[in-house]
Every structure is written in structure tokens, then in C-alpha cells.
Amino acid sequence: MAARTTVTPRPRLLFLAFQRRRSESCGGSLCIFDRTSHKLGEIKIILRTYIECPACESPILLRVGLSRDRQIIVVACPDCHSTIRGSIIPSEEKMLPRFDLPGIKRLDHQTPGKEWRVVNTYGDFPSSSKGEYSSFLSASRVFGEKFPFYLRCVSLVRSFAEKVDPLEHAYGFYLQERWDLLDSMMMRNFKEDWPIEGSWPSNPSDLDRHTHIHRILSLLAAAMDPGGHKQRAKYELWSRTFEKQEEFSELSFRIISEPTFATVNRRISDQFFRMLRDASEWIPALAISHLRANGGDIPGDWRVPLGRIDSLRDAYRQNFEVSCQMLPLVIRIQNMSEGRDDATIRDPTLPDGWAPRALRPQDLVNNLNQFTKSNAATKEAYLSRYSHLRYFWNAAFSRDVRNSIAHAEFDYITHESIVKYKGREVPYYVFIEALIKQISLLIFWLDLCKLCKIYGSRWDPIGSKFLGLH
């Protein structure tokens, strides 16, 4: 084994310490130690191999940055643009992971006369289409002094992805109100060794159980939403209840007593954990979200690894459908805050009521039942009194993308890393960036369900009064 070399790190980073290995399946590796990771000494490896394009026979140097034991590879030949697929799998020798490239011819890297075309892809960062050696160092230069903060956010997201099974089990116990199992699961899996201080109280109250598990999820949302869209939308909606806590408690009691509430809450959580389980598909695009929030320019040569496009298109559609099922709850809270019956949106015989200017008179709805049966454009129009939530929604969902997916008119071009729909072409990372915002929106909906549960549980139906939160 070659000796490790350490150089003076930037603050909070120890990113140079490398070793090279030579084998039949791996031309070499660069091991990067990131001290910002929640596990000290965690290794991020760049594997490389020399292959021949199965279509045009061009010699290719393929470099893959690893962030997990198993990783899908989907890249394009720089010459003929043919798709090359494979994966990284654990090695039987329990040393470095290895390439699994069925049908791909391996080449000897010492073969004379070869002009190698370089293809890079990385599990956690965008790659440069210009063949830059290290995606890690490329991202470091683009982010500058804000790179350590971004690395901490990536590390936090990855730690959630690694804990997805116990977190999903715990949230299932929360939905079932099996408090003893919830406490046991959280105490076993979210203790001092996890990167969140005071993760779970040793003797939680009912209010603690409601708030703390969602506070943990909010930390994930903060790492994924550097622009703060979720937090602004949350304050905007929550503020409707500040001066009408008694009315909101009574409304929440009725809402959580309805069978549809538990069903929608479960659907939202199922979809959230599905997205978290597929974190490797969207983590590389976090860099795009953070650069936009910082006002930085997105490098024109940046590409994010292609995920399972069929699965991601379906996830986009499902995220939209379950989010639409939460909009009646937003309507009811607004009605309550304006002193109307929660199911009455507009009485045609009276001048007051909710009538978005974007809608034609024939598209207006008068009650919650009509709203539930209306089309997507009508539902979205009724976010008109929530400017931050509407902005959050529009950042997460595009009507053109939705319709293109529904009608099988949404295409991905591998060698250009773009998606095409409705006559438009946008970088693939724009599509993935929208999925990231949708995950934050799902956490927002879970937070709203939690708020209704807390206030609904504090309503006394016999005495018809709010019992307070303490």
C-alpha cells in the first residue's frame, strides 16, 4: 500500500490524503478524508477504470467518485453519445468496491497510442463535462469559503439517508400513537453519536413526542432548503392561528377525527420516506440549490449523475398528488382565520369570500367539496392568500412538467444531460432540484399535520373549550 500524504487543510477540512491501488478491475483510487462528516475518518473514494465504448470503441478513462458501497453508473460516451451503464458493488475481498460493467470491454491503461477520453461522475457532487479530475475540488473552488458549510449539509442529509429505516419505523409508531415503541426506537437510534444535540428526551411528554420528531425532520429540511422557503411558508400559515387558538383547536379536533386525515398523513409520510430512501438520486443536485441560495452562478459544464429517470418521474407525479390532498386543510385554516365556516369558501349571494383574481367567474368554487373536485389550476389559484407558500409550491411543481410526465412527453437526453418537455430544454439538474424542493414541501405537510394533532388533542369536546398547550 502506498504511503498516505497529508497536506495542511483548510479550516474544518482534511481533504488530501490519498493512496493508489492497481488491480485488474480498478486503475487506481483517490481516497478523500472529510472531517466534516459525522463519522470521523469516513473515506470518499474516486475509482477509475479504462474501458472501451461498446458502440464506437473509443477508449475511455472512467472516474467514479464513491459515497456508498453500491452506486449506479449511467454516463455517455464523449464521442458517439451512447449510454454506458454499470454499477459499483462491494468487493468480495472487503477492500475497495469494484466496477460491475456487463458487456463493457476493459482496456490496459498502459496500452500505447491510446488517446483517452475522460468521463467523470460522482455520488455527492456535480461533475464537470470538461473532464476535470476531481469533482470534490471543483465544487470546493466554486463554493469558496462556503464549501465547509455545504459539506456539513451534505453530511447531514447522508446521515438521515443512512437512518431511514429506524426513522421510518419510529414515524410509523408516531402515527399509530404507540408511544412506548416510539421512545424505544428513538432512544436506540438517535442518541449522542448522531449529529443532533439533544436528539430525544429521556422522559418525553406527549408534546415532546409531537414536536421533537418533527424538529429532527426540520433539520433535514434546513439542509435541503438553504433559501428558507419552508420556514417562511410555515410562519405564514402558522400565523393564521396565533390570535385564534381556541377556534383552531376546535377545528383541529374535527379535522383529526376525520378518517381521511390519518390516511393523508400516512400517504405524505410514505412518500417522504420513499424520497429519502432514494437520496443517492438527488444529493448531487444539492450543490445547485445551495449555489442559487448564495447568489452564485451555476457552472455551465456541471452535470449531475443520472438517476433512475422512470422512478423519478413517478416520484414527481406522486409528490404532486399527495400535496394536492393537503390543500383542503390550508383552505380550512384560512376560512377559520377569516371568520367563515371552514367548509364555506364563497357565498355567491354575499360580497365577501375567497375569489382569486386569476380565476374566471365560472371556475370559482363555493365550498370545500367543490374545491376538492376542482382541477389542479383551480386548486393552485387558491394559494393566492399565501404568498410564501405559493412561491414554495411554484418552485417545487411545474404544470408543464406534470402534464408532460402524465402524457409520456417528458424525455431525458443522456449525453447532453438535459430534459425535454413542451418544446423546452433545461438541464437535468433543474428537474432534480425541483424534487429536492418537493421533499422539503413534504416535510412542511408533515409539520402541518403535527400542528393539527397538537391543537386537536387539547380541545375539550364536552366543555367546548381549549385546554391550552401546557
Side-chain angles (χ1 to χ4, degrees), residues 5 20-22 70 101 124 155 164 232 310 343:
T5 303
R20 295 188 181 277
R21 300 175 186 265
R22 305 284 181 183
R70 295 182 181 274
L101 300 167
D124 282 349
S155 178
V164 62
R232 285 191 290 271
D310 293 339

mmCIF file of all heavy atoms in Angstrom, residues 5 20-22 70 101 124 155 164 232 310 343:
data_model
loop_
_atom_site.group_PDB
_atom_site.id
_atom_site.type_symbol
_atom_site.label_atom_id
_atom_site.label_comp_id
_atom_site.label_asym_id
_atom_site.label_seq_id
_atom_site.Cartn_x
_atom_site.Cartn_y
_atom_site.Cartn_z
ATOM 1 N N THR A 5 -0.320 10.678 2.120
ATOM 2 C CA THR A 5 0.269 12.009 2.168
ATOM 3 C C THR A 5 -0.759 12.983 2.696
ATOM 4 O O THR A 5 -1.877 13.017 2.223
ATOM 5 C CB THR A 5 0.716 12.462 0.770
ATOM 6 O OG1 THR A 5 1.641 11.500 0.257
ATOM 7 C CG2 THR A 5 1.374 13.828 0.831
ATOM 8 N N ARG A 20 -2.989 5.066 -3.881
ATOM 9 C CA ARG A 20 -3.321 4.482 -5.173
ATOM 10 C C ARG A 20 -3.240 2.969 -5.086
ATOM 11 O O ARG A 20 -2.384 2.407 -4.426
ATOM 12 C CB ARG A 20 -2.377 4.976 -6.269
ATOM 13 C CG ARG A 20 -2.504 6.458 -6.524
ATOM 14 C CD ARG A 20 -1.696 6.850 -7.747
ATOM 15 N NE ARG A 20 -1.813 8.279 -7.977
ATOM 16 C CZ ARG A 20 -2.808 8.856 -8.620
ATOM 17 N NH1 ARG A 20 -3.786 8.103 -9.078
ATOM 18 N NH2 ARG A 20 -2.849 10.149 -8.799
ATOM 19 N N ARG A 21 -4.183 2.330 -5.721
ATOM 20 C CA ARG A 21 -4.184 0.879 -5.813
ATOM 21 C C ARG A 21 -4.237 0.502 -7.288
ATOM 22 O O ARG A 21 -4.891 1.161 -8.080
ATOM 23 C CB ARG A 21 -5.397 0.282 -5.092
ATOM 24 C CG ARG A 21 -5.477 0.611 -3.616
ATOM 25 C CD ARG A 21 -6.776 0.071 -3.060
ATOM 26 N NE ARG A 21 -6.967 0.482 -1.683
ATOM 27 C CZ ARG A 21 -6.636 -0.248 -0.625
ATOM 28 N NH1 ARG A 21 -6.085 -1.422 -0.816
ATOM 29 N NH2 ARG A 21 -6.845 0.189 0.587
ATOM 30 N N ARG A 22 -3.598 -0.570 -7.641
ATOM 31 C CA ARG A 22 -3.653 -1.080 -9.005
ATOM 32 C C ARG A 22 -4.234 -2.489 -8.981
ATOM 33 O O ARG A 22 -3.845 -3.325 -8.176
ATOM 34 C CB ARG A 22 -2.251 -1.165 -9.631
ATOM 35 C CG ARG A 22 -1.509 0.156 -9.599
ATOM 36 C CD ARG A 22 -2.026 1.103 -10.664
ATOM 37 N NE ARG A 22 -1.299 2.370 -10.649
ATOM 38 C CZ ARG A 22 -1.596 3.370 -11.430
ATOM 39 N NH1 ARG A 22 -2.610 3.275 -12.266
ATOM 40 N NH2 ARG A 22 -0.908 4.486 -11.386
ATOM 41 N N ARG A 70 -22.747 0.698 -2.843
ATOM 42 C CA ARG A 70 -23.391 0.364 -4.113
ATOM 43 C C ARG A 70 -23.821 1.656 -4.795
ATOM 44 O O ARG A 70 -24.448 2.503 -4.179
ATOM 45 C CB ARG A 70 -24.605 -0.548 -3.885
ATOM 46 C CG ARG A 70 -24.235 -1.905 -3.318
ATOM 47 C CD ARG A 70 -25.471 -2.793 -3.153
ATOM 48 N NE ARG A 70 -25.140 -4.079 -2.588
ATOM 49 C CZ ARG A 70 -24.750 -5.126 -3.296
ATOM 50 N NH1 ARG A 70 -24.690 -5.035 -4.615
ATOM 51 N NH2 ARG A 70 -24.450 -6.279 -2.720
ATOM 52 N N LEU A 101 -19.468 -3.836 -14.883
ATOM 53 C CA LEU A 101 -19.800 -3.230 -16.174
ATOM 54 C C LEU A 101 -20.092 -4.334 -17.189
ATOM 55 O O LEU A 101 -19.246 -4.662 -18.039
ATOM 56 C CB LEU A 101 -18.645 -2.345 -16.660
ATOM 57 C CG LEU A 101 -18.247 -1.178 -15.747
ATOM 58 C CD1 LEU A 101 -16.912 -0.602 -16.169
ATOM 59 C CD2 LEU A 101 -19.330 -0.113 -15.768
ATOM 60 N N ASP A 124 -21.861 12.454 -4.800
ATOM 61 C CA ASP A 124 -22.340 13.543 -3.946
ATOM 62 C C ASP A 124 -22.203 14.928 -4.565
ATOM 63 O O ASP A 124 -22.736 15.887 -4.017
ATOM 64 C CB ASP A 124 -21.583 13.550 -2.615
ATOM 65 C CG ASP A 124 -22.092 12.489 -1.659
ATOM 66 O OD1 ASP A 124 -23.153 11.912 -1.944
ATOM 67 O OD2 ASP A 124 -21.437 12.234 -0.640
ATOM 68 N N SER A 155 -23.363 16.100 4.557
ATOM 69 C CA SER A 155 -23.148 15.066 5.571
ATOM 70 C C SER A 155 -24.409 14.811 6.380
ATOM 71 O O SER A 155 -24.753 13.658 6.684
ATOM 72 C CB SER A 155 -21.996 15.479 6.497
ATOM 73 O OG SER A 155 -21.803 14.528 7.516
ATOM 74 N N VAL A 164 -32.677 5.950 7.524
ATOM 75 C CA VAL A 164 -34.041 5.984 7.016
ATOM 76 C C VAL A 164 -34.897 4.853 7.579
ATOM 77 O O VAL A 164 -36.081 5.068 7.886
ATOM 78 C CB VAL A 164 -34.045 5.961 5.468
ATOM 79 C CG1 VAL A 164 -33.432 4.696 4.923
ATOM 80 C CG2 VAL A 164 -35.446 6.161 4.930
ATOM 81 N N ARG A 232 -40.357 30.243 5.823
ATOM 82 C CA ARG A 232 -41.224 31.399 5.577
ATOM 83 C C ARG A 232 -42.668 30.967 5.357
ATOM 84 O O ARG A 232 -43.606 31.617 5.855
ATOM 85 C CB ARG A 232 -40.705 32.198 4.381
ATOM 86 C CG ARG A 232 -39.470 33.021 4.678
ATOM 87 C CD ARG A 232 -39.166 33.987 3.553
ATOM 88 N NE ARG A 232 -38.701 33.284 2.369
ATOM 89 C CZ ARG A 232 -37.419 32.995 2.125
ATOM 90 N NH1 ARG A 232 -36.503 33.341 3.007
ATOM 91 N NH2 ARG A 232 -37.069 32.368 1.020
ATOM 92 N N ASP A 310 -37.171 6.864 -14.805
ATOM 93 C CA ASP A 310 -38.558 6.413 -14.740
ATOM 94 C C ASP A 310 -39.109 6.533 -13.318
ATOM 95 O O ASP A 310 -40.239 6.991 -13.104
ATOM 96 C CB ASP A 310 -38.676 4.966 -15.222
ATOM 97 C CG ASP A 310 -38.367 4.829 -16.705
ATOM 98 O OD1 ASP A 310 -38.468 5.849 -17.410
ATOM 99 O OD2 ASP A 310 -38.028 3.721 -17.142
ATOM 100 N N ALA A 343 -65.810 25.064 5.845
ATOM 101 C CA ALA A 343 -66.120 24.429 4.566
ATOM 102 C C ALA A 343 -66.685 25.403 3.547
ATOM 103 O O ALA A 343 -66.883 25.047 2.389
ATOM 104 C CB ALA A 343 -67.100 23.275 4.770
#
